[in-house]
Amino acid sequence: MALLQISEPGQSAAPHQHRLAVGIDLGTTNSLVATVRSGTATVLPDAQGRPLLPSIVRYGKDRIEVGYPAQARQSEDPKNTIVSVKRFMGRGVKDVDHLQNAPYDFVDAPGMLQIRTVAGVMSPVEVSAEILKVLRERAEASLGGSLSGAVITVPAYFDDAQRQATKDAGKLAGLNVLRLLNEPTAAAIAYGLDNASEGMFAVYDLGGGTFDLSILRLSKGVFEVVATSGDSMLGGDDFDQRVFCWIVEEAKLAPLAPRDMRLLLVKAREAKEYLTVHEQANITAKLSSGELVDVTLDTQTFCRITQTLVQKTLVPVRKALRDAGFTVNQIDGVVMVGGATRMPQIQRAVADFFKRDPLNNLDPDKVVALGAAMQANVLAGNKPQGEDWLLLDVIPLSLGLETMGGLVEKIIPRNTTIPAGRAQEFTTYKDGQTGMSFHVVQGERELVADCRSLARFELKGIPPMAAGAARIRVTFQVDADGLLSVNARENTTGAEASVNVKPSYGLADADIERMLRDSFSHAKEDVHARALTEARVDAQRLLDATQSALAVDAALLNDQERSAIDAAVAALQAALAGTDHRAMKQGSDALNRATEDFAARRMDQGIRRALAGKKIGSL
Amino acid sequence: MSKTSAAAGKALTSSGNHFELFGLQPAFALDVEALERAYREIQSQVHPDRFAHAGDAERRASLQWTTRVNEAYRALRNPVQRASHFLSLHGVDVAFETNTAMPEAFLMQQMELRESLEDAVATKNLAALASLQSKLEADQRALEKQIAAAIDQKQDYPRAAGLVRELQFLDKLEAEIDSAYETIE
């Protein structure tokens, strides 16, 4: 594949060591961790050689089980065994379908629901962090060192709340989250690089609990997402639900105890998987009442009871095509991702819709983790010069503000390439109005009530003026993870208010710190030692980056600027020799401030070089 | 309602000229390939993926630049925004909000198109929607040709501004057709 040559601004002048970086597919049903070793992406199995980690966490009074051991006991301890926790990430009680069918003791908390277990009330972020911790430990044991960073994948259609919750879970698990990467994009990387593909591709990603459809253009080492669509509440789990309901009806069962519910859901899922390669599945179970369930499900019935679900996936497919401005005929290939795409009725529906056979040559369970590992390898700076690629992704849902009358003013429309930023001016509607409250929402509907509320914040200190005279500039900034921050500023006085769209539904930094402390005291790890290690790694990384920048571009600085940077470098080096993590943090902050203008100039220079058509390799 | 590109931090040496940013001659006619090439070259220099392990200062500069480059690229790809930007560089304000005067024939035509749209939605007629869409596309391309002539050949900027307002009208209808598809489905 012809690749763009890309410079490496942050690269050390010295040949640097290989950084340990992993890609994590944090799935609804199963999770995986993968890494790039000797140039090849591979999934890291557990000590028993099993690649998948069932995304199941069981809370006992004094121990936590994750994966297969938790799975084995889910029917006997359903209330404390959390499955498919991804469905609850960044979600309130009213947001989740089939909540009544989940055998948990839910606690309605502001923004995100929580689950009461014998070990206490847990947020979905904490449950996910347990899964991530196991994967981190697996990777560290397998790679023989601590991880430099991780890329965690999220459904492309995840909104800001769900993304923020995922990033928080990563932090809580002690991971340096290099990037949140959209699952279909990760699959496209794995697929595109594997096949040296070029053209327009649709990625049909039906996971355990989420559905994504992304349309990407692959050309000359650039992966460009043109449109993305989906349904973050539709997945393989829903097929299990349909089978479950069918069993209850077919066997004429009375309302079930949580334990029986869990048992039948497991049986439903087994039947679904069995029907992928068989004509009929026998479902037998013994309920806690002693009642025996014995029914047979054939493929025809299975297709009939799940037909509306299959059709439901095609709605986002059509929407994405429209957004991209393409017809079915212009798509060069359809990539299938997610275990649920193994169902023959899905394969047929997709083939019929796109008028071509979908591509299945990579394991749909592993392809996302493999792509994430490849991207983690790039972000860690391990890729060889010239074998790099550029990833241009989009936000899945429009971001806006509530205006008068409960209407939404869209500030950043869906499918805008990220990072993205947009500013818009608003004004007061009453004479002498000195405050303004902002309500940030995400979604496509015109009414605030139909969109997802992300955050509310206030700007105070607007000087009293006639209605319509004040100028309040509101800036939306979406970063490369797809996460939003919002800032409001009154232009005549400079009064300012801003919000990382986070504390209203997610976890404040203080919460994360507390949870980290709790979990470390649990695991008898030393908080101080951890903080020291992190500060040291950060400081060293910054020193390396600064020194390699100076080695290349010292000419951009005058003597005074240079000596200010040198002084900050020396101060940080001195702090690094000690054991005070706060001093290291302060030293890093100081060096960051000292190099701000330098960084900006280097960036300008990079752009001039790019426009001059020169590759940095030849400079 | 004034929309401007955000996060143009103090480090930006380039002015607000999107054409200059990509090394293009300001014009309405667009060399799409040259724009894409420049966009990718610049992104390969400034994108946050290049700075995942850099210090905060570089990551911040990268975020600001990428945001600006994405915004400028998006604006140039969109005919209404490209024309408005060109005209504003020449001191002509397209004034979408305040100047709503339109030729009568154009308004009549727009009303008819909107009526057809309402009919198509009311009767859930996807075929009617599709034919409306292709008619609209033809109108948009025709208007773009006129804008190109007014700007690039005749340098008649006031006339161009009027045409751009008409094109924006059509773009709004296009968005309404898109949401009509979603309503029908």
Side-chain angles (χ1 to χ4, degrees):
Chain A
M1 161 174 205
L3 288 156
L4 269 182
Q5 283 192 308
I6 287 171
S7 75
E8 173 53 46
Q11 196 173 49
S12 335
H16 76 78
Q17 76 286 20
H18 183 86
R19 293 193 182 101
L20 300 180
V22 294
I24 293 177
D25 175 0
L26 182 60
T28 307
T29 317
N30 293 299
S31 297
L32 298 93
V33 58
T35 195
V36 174
R37 262 197 293 216
S38 328
T40 311
T42 44
V43 170
L44 300 171
D46 67 6
Q48 283 81 49
R50 297 173 296 200
L52 302 181
L53 175 71
S55 302
I56 304 179
V57 178
R58 177 169 178 264
Y59 288 93
K61 277 211 174 58
D62 44 26
R63 73 194 197 109
I64 300 171
E65 291 171 316
V66 179
Y68 290 105
Q71 188 178 41
R73 300 177 67 177
Q74 58 178 327
S75 296
E76 67 187 71
D77 188 14
K79 274 182 179 298
N80 298 305
T81 310
I82 321 297
V83 303
S84 299
V85 68
K86 189 171 177 179
R87 296 205 130 188
F88 309 137
M89 292 290 270
R91 286 286 175 254
V93 163
K94 65 173 171 38
D95 300 324
V96 184
D97 294 340
H98 308 303
L99 206 63
Q100 67 285 0
N101 286 353
Y104 310 122
D105 193 355
F106 289 107
V107 180
D108 198 2
M112 202 184 327
L113 59 78
Q114 298 184 328
I115 299 165
R116 186 171 288 118
T117 72
V118 288
V121 175
M122 298 292 161
S123 92
V125 171
E126 288 168 283
V127 180
S128 299
E130 294 300 335
I131 298 167
L132 290 171
K133 257 184 238 171
V134 170
L135 293 174
R136 171 168 70 87
E137 284 156 12
R138 180 192 288 189
E140 288 180 342
S142 161
L143 300 174
S146 66
L147 297 181
S148 153
V151 167
I152 303 178
T153 60
V154 290
Y157 215 58
F158 254 22
D159 67 21
D160 195 83
Q162 294 166 305
R163 282 168 199 270
Q164 188 64 60
T166 306
K167 197 165 184 185
D168 288 347
K171 261 190 242 169
L172 195 52
L175 290 167
N176 172 27
V177 183
L178 294 170
R179 186 76 78 238
L180 297 179
L181 178 62
N182 290 330
E183 286 158 11
T185 311
I189 291 175
Y191 194 84
L193 294 178
D194 201 59
N195 295 273
S197 306
E198 301 252 309
M200 298 297 306
F201 286 80
V203 182
Y204 182 104
D205 179 358
L206 188 64
T210 56
F211 173 64
D212 280 332
L213 192 285
S214 287
I215 295 177
L216 293 103
R217 178 162 56 182
L218 272 59
S219 73
K220 303 186 199 88
V222 180
F223 293 81
E224 184 182 1
V225 180
V226 185
T228 195
S229 184
D231 187 336
S232 64
M233 286 282 148
L234 174 64
D237 277 9
D238 294 287
F239 290 74
D240 302 353
Q241 280 287 343
R242 290 284 164 98
V243 174
F244 167 84
C245 292
W246 179 85
I247 298 171
V248 169
E249 228 168 81
E250 191 72 7
K252 302 187 176 60
L253 301 177
L256 296 166
R259 181 190 166 134
D260 292 337
M261 216 185 256
R262 178 48 57 205
L263 174 67
L264 288 184
L265 275 168
V266 171
K267 294 288 179 186
R269 157 197 219 96
E270 286 168 0
K272 174 190 75 176
E273 287 168 4
Y274 192 77
L275 287 175
T276 293
V277 283
H278 297 88
E279 286 299 309
Q280 56 181 42
N282 203 280
I283 302 162
T284 55
K286 188 177 175 187
L287 303 182
S288 43
S289 63
E291 188 180 352
L292 277 176
V293 174
D294 186 353
V295 290
T296 302
L297 178 63
D298 59 30
T299 48
Q300 209 180 352
T301 309
F302 181 47
C303 287
R304 181 172 51 79
I305 62 176
T306 58
Q307 199 198 355
T308 50
L309 294 174
V310 175
Q311 288 305 316
K312 214 173 159 188
T313 68
L314 295 179
V315 175
V317 175
R318 285 192 287 266
K319 185 169 148 208
L321 280 170
R322 271 200 307 277
D323 282 354
F326 286 106
T327 62
V328 161
N329 301 325
Q330 288 166 288
I331 299 296
D332 298 305
V334 185
V335 178
M336 300 296 265
V337 186
T341 60
R342 288 201 177 93
M343 283 185 274
Q345 67 265 47
I346 296 280
Q347 292 280 336
R348 272 197 305 275
V350 171
D352 286 349
F353 184 87
F354 285 100
K355 300 178 207 157
R356 62 170 62 243
D357 285 334
L359 302 161
N360 287 304
N361 54 341
L362 291 178
D363 183 340
D365 282 327
K366 291 182 183 164
V367 62
V368 167
L370 295 174
M374 293 173 180
Q375 183 66 2
N377 194 46
V378 164
L379 295 182
N382 291 334
K383 84 256 169 269
Q385 186 91 26
E387 286 183 26
D388 198 352
W389 62 83
L390 185 63
L391 197 64
L392 303 168
D393 219 318
V394 301
I395 56 163
L397 296 157
S398 303
L399 293 161
L401 279 176
E402 175 170 355
T403 59
M404 299 293 294
L407 294 176
V408 178
E409 172 72 23
K410 282 181 189 162
I411 310 285
I412 302 185
R414 70 167 186 254
N415 293 323
T416 299
T417 305
I418 54 173
R422 201 74 52 78
Q424 190 157 332
E425 286 196 335
F426 290 85
T427 189
T428 48
Y429 85 108
K430 268 192 202 156
D431 288 343
Q433 184 179 341
T434 57
M436 205 177 240
S437 64
F438 296 93
H439 184 199
V440 184
V441 297
Q442 186 161 28
E444 308 311 317
R445 308 286 293 276
E446 281 171 26
L447 293 177
V448 167
D450 299 326
C451 290
R452 184 168 184 80
S453 168
L454 291 180
R456 290 173 188 274
F457 71 106
E458 278 191 15
L459 174 67
K460 290 185 178 131
I462 302 171
M465 280 182 257
R471 287 283 169 269
I472 290 92
R473 188 180 165 84
V474 181
T475 307
F476 276 46
Q477 174 76 57
V478 181
D479 67 15
D481 293 325
L483 293 172
L484 172 69
S485 56
V486 182
N487 169 285
R489 188 185 160 86
E490 196 282 309
N491 277 346
T492 51
T493 59
E496 201 158 337
S498 65
V499 58
N500 276 320
V501 179
K502 177 175 177 181
S504 77
Y505 59 84
L507 301 167
D509 282 340
D511 289 334
I512 293 194
E513 237 169 72
R514 177 186 52 77
M515 287 178 185
L516 273 173
R517 260 200 320 274
D518 292 355
S519 71
F520 286 135
S521 62
H522 210 69
K524 298 188 177 62
E525 268 190 70
D526 188 332
V527 185
H528 182 80
R530 176 112 206 150
L532 186 60
T533 311
E534 277 173 11
R536 197 165 265 156
V537 169
D538 281 350
Q540 193 57 56
R541 188 187 73 198
L542 182 59
L543 283 172
D544 290 349
T546 306
Q547 267 149 4
S548 60
L550 287 172
V552 182
D553 285 323
L556 296 172
L557 297 167
N558 66 31
D559 289 350
Q560 197 187 352
E561 291 162 337
R562 175 63 195 253
S563 56
I565 292 175
D566 285 345
V569 165
L572 182 55
Q573 278 167 337
L576 201 52
T579 55
D580 182 354
H581 68 88
R582 280 184 200 83
M584 287 176 206
K585 178 84 177 60
Q586 280 161 10
S588 292
D589 289 347
L591 181 53
N592 267 315
R593 277 193 304 277
T595 52
E596 211 152 87
D597 288 343
F598 184 40
R601 267 176 242 166
R602 275 166 49 77
M603 211 69 66
D604 293 358
Q605 177 178 266
I607 289 167
R608 277 193 292 275
R609 282 176 187 163
L611 288 177
K614 287 185 185 165
K615 309 291 188 284
I616 301 307
S618 65
L619 284 172
Chain B
M1 167 170 89
S2 71
K3 291 184 183 173
T4 47
S5 80
K10 61 178 172 159
L12 306 194
T13 49
S14 163
S15 65
N17 186 328
H18 299 335
F19 296 102
E20 211 170 79
L21 178 64
F22 295 109
L24 300 172
Q25 278 303 319
F28 181 76
L30 183 70
D31 182 346
V32 176
E33 268 180 35
L35 173 62
E36 278 184 5
R37 208 163 42 237
Y39 173 70
R40 288 171 175 192
E41 286 287 347
I42 295 176
Q43 282 291 29
S44 71
Q45 296 291 316
V46 302
H47 197 275
D49 286 359
R50 313 250 73 68
F51 299 93
H53 264 276
D56 287 355
E58 284 196 302
R59 282 197 289 192
R60 207 159 35 239
S62 153
L63 179 67
Q64 287 175 345
W65 260 113
T66 318
T67 299
R68 156 117 172 82
V69 170
N70 278 335
E71 181 62 22
Y73 179 67
R74 213 181 65 91
L76 290 187
R77 294 294 304 254
N78 177 297
V80 166
Q81 290 187 39
R82 182 168 70 248
S84 311
H85 181 62
F86 178 94
L87 292 171
S88 78
L89 293 174
H90 289 80
V92 176
D93 183 2
V94 175
F96 292 118
E97 279 74 35
T98 50
N99 189 340
T100 49
M102 297 268 175
E104 197 175 331
F106 177 78
L107 288 175
M108 288 302 291
Q109 199 188 1
Q110 288 308 301
M111 277 167 66
E112 279 165 26
L113 286 172
R114 278 189 162 66
E115 272 166 27
S116 328
L117 173 59
E118 280 164 25
D119 288 347
V121 173
T123 55
K124 302 200 175 205
N125 187 340
L126 283 172
L129 212 51
S131 90
L132 187 61
Q133 194 175 23
S134 56
K135 174 172 174 10
L136 179 68
E137 267 170 32
D139 288 354
Q140 285 169 312
R141 299 297 89 79
L143 208 44
E144 283 165 23
K145 274 195 186 134
Q146 292 184 50
I147 294 172
I151 289 180
D152 296 340
Q153 274 113 57
K154 298 177 197 134
Q155 282 84 44
D156 184 352
Y157 301 148
R159 170 165 163 72
L163 294 169
V164 173
R165 282 193 294 273
E166 291 185 14
L167 185 57
Q168 202 206 20
F169 232 82
L170 299 189
D171 285 3
K172 275 187 188 154
L173 184 62
E174 187 187 355
E176 282 166 35
I177 291 177
D178 279 347
S179 52
Y181 274 111
E182 275 155 49
T183 314
I184 291 179
E185 279 179 356

